[in-house]
Amino acid sequence: MISLDLTGRKGLVVGIANEHSLAWAAARQFSEARADLAVTYLNDKARPYMQPLAEAVKAPIFLPCNVSEPGELEAVFEHIAKTWGRLDFLLHAIGSVRKEDLHGRLTDCSADGFAEAMVISCHSFIRMAKLAEPLMEKGGSLMTLSYYGAEKVVEHYNVMGPVKAALESSVRYLAHELGGKAIRVNAISAGAVRTRAASGIEHFEELIEETVRKAPLRRIVESDEVGRAALLLASDYSSAITGEILHVDAGFHVDGMIFH
């Protein structure tokens, strides 16, 4: 496999929860490609778990970032501006929804719960794009993570379906608005992977089984496969790709009414 070289590139990864996170798989790929990384953690409780991961990728910038806390996201970008003066790529991998709204019908979702999920899971990416724009004077790559439930109904994904649909639409609009500055904006629609975020979805193991049965490749994807897709989007190999929803799902999204 040809190694992509990101030597000298500066990247920000937001949303690593633990060593099973898709964001962590991407961070390892960025690091192995010799990029310099800024890595964030959610809060003081999460810091002891994140510290070894930040050290493993030799991240020179390691800061708290709870997008619900006023000023924290801005502080991350201010630190990057002072330390590096620029940013070449960014991976947004955060999402949050109240348990009662995730496990309940969309019909019954509270207004507050819907707004909270949208602000944390979608609008935070828009905020990051705005903050990254002045640091990407020579262009750059903005990436986020999505899921097939944004396109079609996936049982038990519930309110996160509309939220991810809004995120994917935001990718297209941001790509349009920032393309003149050579800033590319893409999303990776990852297949079912056993992560902490996925564990909150009811009947997740059934989803895994259905993926193996239905996906053309007859398997689930590995986190490193998602990480390598992020590496590709961060590199010059994808210099003409923007506004795209890149499916890394063993082909799960292509099958419709299939009779076995």
Side-chain angles (χ1 to χ4, degrees):
M1 186 176 295
I2 299 174
S3 297
L4 297 182
D5 189 358
L6 297 184
T7 299
R9 302 288 179 92
K10 313 297 184 184
L12 169 63
V13 180
V14 182
I16 302 174
N18 54 39
E19 68 276 13
H20 303 297
S21 299
L22 295 179
W24 170 240
R28 284 192 293 102
Q29 294 293 331
F30 298 147
S31 178
E32 289 174 10
R34 301 182 182 85
D36 297 319
L37 294 181
V39 173
T40 68
Y41 57 94
L42 181 61
N43 51 34
D44 289 342
K45 182 179 179 180
R47 177 168 184 157
Y49 301 98
M50 279 296 303
Q51 185 87 46
L53 301 183
E55 293 173 354
V57 295
K58 299 180 175 62
I61 297 176
F62 182 55
L63 295 169
C65 183
N66 181 344
V67 296
S68 297
E69 290 294 327
E72 282 201 4
L73 182 60
E74 288 74 13
V76 170
F77 281 85
E78 288 172 7
H79 191 93
I80 289 173
K82 291 178 181 178
T83 304
W84 290 335
R86 75 174 206 272
L87 189 65
D88 299 300
F89 63 89
L90 177 157
L91 176 63
H92 166 278
I94 59 176
S96 179
V97 60
R98 296 178 184 179
K99 186 176 181 179
E100 62 269 25
D101 291 320
L102 177 61
H103 292 172
R105 301 187 308 166
L106 175 61
T107 309
D108 302 319
C109 181
S110 66
D112 288 345
F114 187 86
E116 181 180 296
M118 192 69 78
V119 166
I120 296 175
S121 310
C122 176
H123 189 258
S124 61
F125 183 55
I126 299 172
R127 289 174 62 198
M128 289 183 199
K130 180 178 178 64
L131 293 166
E133 182 181 7
L135 296 175
M136 293 183 167
E137 293 182 350
K138 296 183 179 180
S141 175
L142 304 177
M143 298 165 279
T144 188
L145 296 180
S146 189
Y147 176 62
Y148 182 62
E151 303 173 44
K152 300 291 184 181
V153 173
V154 174
E155 276 197 300
H156 309 297
Y157 201 53
N158 302 330
V159 65
M160 286 305 293
V163 170
K164 288 294 189 181
L167 179 64
E168 292 188 3
S169 182
S170 297
V171 164
R172 291 184 284 270
Y173 276 84
L174 291 171
H176 169 75
E177 293 175 358
L178 300 177
K181 297 185 177 181
I183 298 174
R184 298 177 291 109
V185 189
N186 296 287
I188 298 172
S189 182
V193 181
R194 290 183 176 89
T195 63
R196 190 170 79 176
S199 67
I201 301 173
E202 291 186 313
H203 302 280
F204 183 71
E205 287 304 316
E206 292 179 27
L207 178 59
I208 291 287
E209 293 171 6
E210 180 67 7
T211 298
V212 173
R213 186 189 70 81
K214 181 179 178 182
L217 294 182
R218 299 295 186 268
R219 65 175 178 85
I220 61 173
V221 301
E222 297 178 1
S223 58
D224 279 347
E225 292 176 307
V226 178
R228 287 195 293 271
L231 174 60
L232 174 68
L233 292 176
S235 76
D236 292 338
Y237 279 72
S238 59
S239 58
I241 300 175
T242 193
E244 187 65 42
I245 310 301
L246 177 60
H247 292 86
V248 184
D249 63 355
F252 182 81
H253 70 287
V254 305
D255 279 351
M257 187 69 74
I258 304 298
F259 298 94
H260 295 282

